[in-house]
Amino acid sequence: QVQLVESGGGLVQAGGSLRLSCATSGRTFSSYVMGWFRQAPGKEREFVTAITPSGGSTYYADSVKGRFSISRDTAKNTLYLQMNSLKPEDTAVYYCVARRLSSGDFNYWGQGTQVTVSS
């Protein structure tokens, strides 16, 4: 079982930055694909970014490419999302997710953290 706990959300002005963290439990952090999804009010949940177990490959939605950066610290069992040049349309609840390398779906989800970007 993997438990994910996000932190770091908050209110920021457009153009500002935030860093989200996701603390994980268990001894298998280094073997899981990790990522972030988000859900804005009235919209469906959408993929934001993901990172492979080794950290060697990362993937980003076009809407955040060049502004967001995902990273992982295996020693701390923690996933990060650095968000720069934030826009009002980035306002959403951000979820930390995890899946085994062999799994097609992200089947572990955190409770979410709110990010609000004011214009």
Side-chain angles (χ1 to χ4, degrees):
Q1 188 74 7
V2 176
Q3 292 186 325
L4 309 172
V5 180
E6 303 97 333
S7 62
L11 174 64
V12 63
Q13 288 189 329
S17 298
L18 277 177
R19 188 176 81 156
L20 305 183
S21 299
C22 174
T24 70
S25 65
R27 296 171 291 178
T28 56
F29 173 76
S30 61
S31 64
Y32 279 70
V33 177
M34 305 291 298
W36 295 90
F37 276 66
R38 67 185 182 186
Q39 186 167 22
K43 295 187 177 181
E44 296 204 351
R45 200 169 289 184
E46 65 174 357
F47 169 81
V48 176
T49 180
I51 186 168
T52 53
S54 67
S57 295
T58 56
Y59 307 88
Y60 295 93
D62 288 343
S63 58
V64 306
K65 206 170 290 184
R67 299 187 298 121
F68 289 13
S69 178
I70 189 172
S71 62
R72 62 194 300 163
D73 185 332
T74 301
K76 296 182 178 180
N77 285 350
T78 302
L79 179 74
Y80 301 101
L81 179 63
Q82 179 66 44
M83 304 185 294
N84 299 326
S85 302
L86 283 162
K87 304 175 181 180
E89 52 263 45
D90 294 318
T91 295
V93 177
Y94 284 71
Y95 297 90
C96 176
V97 297
R99 66 171 177 86
R100 292 184 177 86
L101 195 58
S102 58
S103 174
D105 298 319
F106 285 99
N107 45 5
Y108 296 102
W109 291 71
Q111 83 287 351
T113 185
Q114 177 70 46
V115 172
T116 303
V117 185
S118 63
S119 56

